[in-house]
Amino acid sequence: MSDRLDRALLGIDEPSPVRIVNPNGRSPFLLIGDHAGNLVPRALEPFGVTSPDLERHIGWDIGIATLGETLATTLDATFIAQRYSRLVVDCNRAPDAEDAMPAVSDGTPIPANASLDAEGRAARLAAIHTPYQAAIAAELARRDAAREDAVLVALHSFTPVMRGFARPWQIGVLHGGGDEAYARRVLLALEARGDLVVGDNQPYAMDTIDFTIPHHAFAAGRRYVETEIRQDLLETEAQIHEWADLLVTVLTAAL
């Protein structure tokens, strides 16, 4: 059933939902990008969302694809990135979550999601959500079998203004559940710099909404951290490289 749904949604010439950068990286860090792409499968066109909207924060996490690539190179780490828009299916949501395929996102209607039936949901999950999560699980299983360390680092970015409210944080650290010790050390290291406005579970908290980190890290007792960087600070390659350098220092020191 899953294979049939997969073929029905993605053409054989369309990109895989999973992009793995530096698959042989020797670092303990496993970088993940749930919202690193904003593609829409041809089978879902017309999706009803304009190209400018897909380029906005509702379509993906701006800057994260390049940040993840840069960190993968600098840290010699593996980066598992998801290529399709979070409006098609949000891979940081449980498969049965209503907002995994939202009818409205930050006030913008998503016509292709408004009347989505069970078969349509299942097709998106089979083609995108399941293989992405399976790729993460497979890499963790490989490391476990080889007795290699694994520290999950989820990379996200957030819009500077949401529903009319400015968000002052430059970077947020999310934690809450499982082995929080590593995430808290990252938070302390960022705060200790003294030159950043750091959010402790801000602008989002790791609660029942998040899926990827809880799913792969909590029960297994894995070290993890989820970071959120404000998108206006990731607009240029120079800014992205600055954040990459900062994160390399902080993530490594927190080990």
Side-chain angles (χ1 to χ4, degrees):
M1 180 67 167
S2 175
D3 289 344
R4 181 183 67 79
L5 289 170
D6 187 11
R7 289 198 301 271
L9 186 62
L10 293 178
I12 59 173
D13 61 332
E14 290 187 272
S16 163
V18 183
R19 179 179 176 226
I20 302 181
V21 179
N22 195 22
N24 298 315
R26 297 175 62 84
S27 167
F29 297 115
L30 178 57
L31 311 170
I32 52 178
D34 299 325
H35 310 136
N38 62 352
L39 298 177
V40 174
R42 279 197 309 267
L44 299 183
E45 296 290 3
F47 198 62
V49 177
T50 67
S51 293
D53 277 332
L54 285 171
E55 292 291 338
R56 292 173 54 219
H57 72 96
I58 64 171
W60 62 335
D61 277 358
I62 296 167
I64 290 304
T66 304
L67 178 64
E69 293 164 10
T70 305
L71 283 171
T73 299
T74 308
L75 288 166
D76 190 22
T78 297
F79 176 40
I80 300 180
Q82 200 285 110
R83 286 187 168 110
Y84 287 85
S85 174
R86 64 195 302 170
L87 298 178
V88 174
V89 57
D90 191 330
C91 286
N92 195 31
R93 297 292 183 269
D96 60 351
E98 184 176 350
D99 63 347
M101 299 162 218
V104 178
S105 182
D106 194 20
T108 298
I110 315 300
N113 294 353
S115 57
L116 191 59
D117 59 18
E119 185 176 0
R121 289 182 65 93
R124 297 190 196 185
L125 292 169
I128 299 170
H129 193 289
T130 298
Y132 171 66
Q133 297 296 341
I136 297 171
E139 174 58 18
L140 291 171
R142 185 199 66 76
R143 294 190 186 200
D144 289 346
R147 297 186 178 180
E148 296 176 4
D149 201 1
V151 181
L152 276 167
V153 179
L155 301 171
H156 292 267
S157 66
F158 66 94
T159 183
V161 179
M162 188 75 164
R163 299 186 182 94
F165 292 96
R167 298 156 124 185
W169 309 281
Q170 294 166 291
I171 184 170
V173 175
L174 279 58
H175 56 90
D179 183 354
E180 299 181 47
Y182 179 73
R184 289 185 178 276
R185 289 197 296 273
V186 172
L187 175 65
L188 290 173
L190 287 167
E191 290 175 335
R193 290 174 54 92
D195 60 346
L196 294 170
V197 181
V198 183
D200 180 355
N201 275 330
Q202 294 287 353
Y204 302 107
M206 184 166 288
D207 48 27
T208 57
I209 294 175
D210 281 86
F211 178 76
T212 303
I213 287 291
H215 180 67
H216 293 287
F218 284 9
R222 299 185 191 279
R223 289 178 291 174
Y224 73 87
V225 65
E226 185 163 327
T227 62
E228 292 270 359
I229 299 174
R230 210 173 66 211
Q231 288 167 356
D232 61 319
L233 305 177
L234 293 171
E235 291 179 342
T236 68
E237 287 206 11
Q239 288 177 309
I240 290 171
H241 279 278
E242 286 178 7
W243 277 104
D245 289 344
L246 185 157
L247 286 175
V248 165
T249 300
V250 170
L251 292 174
T252 303
L255 286 175

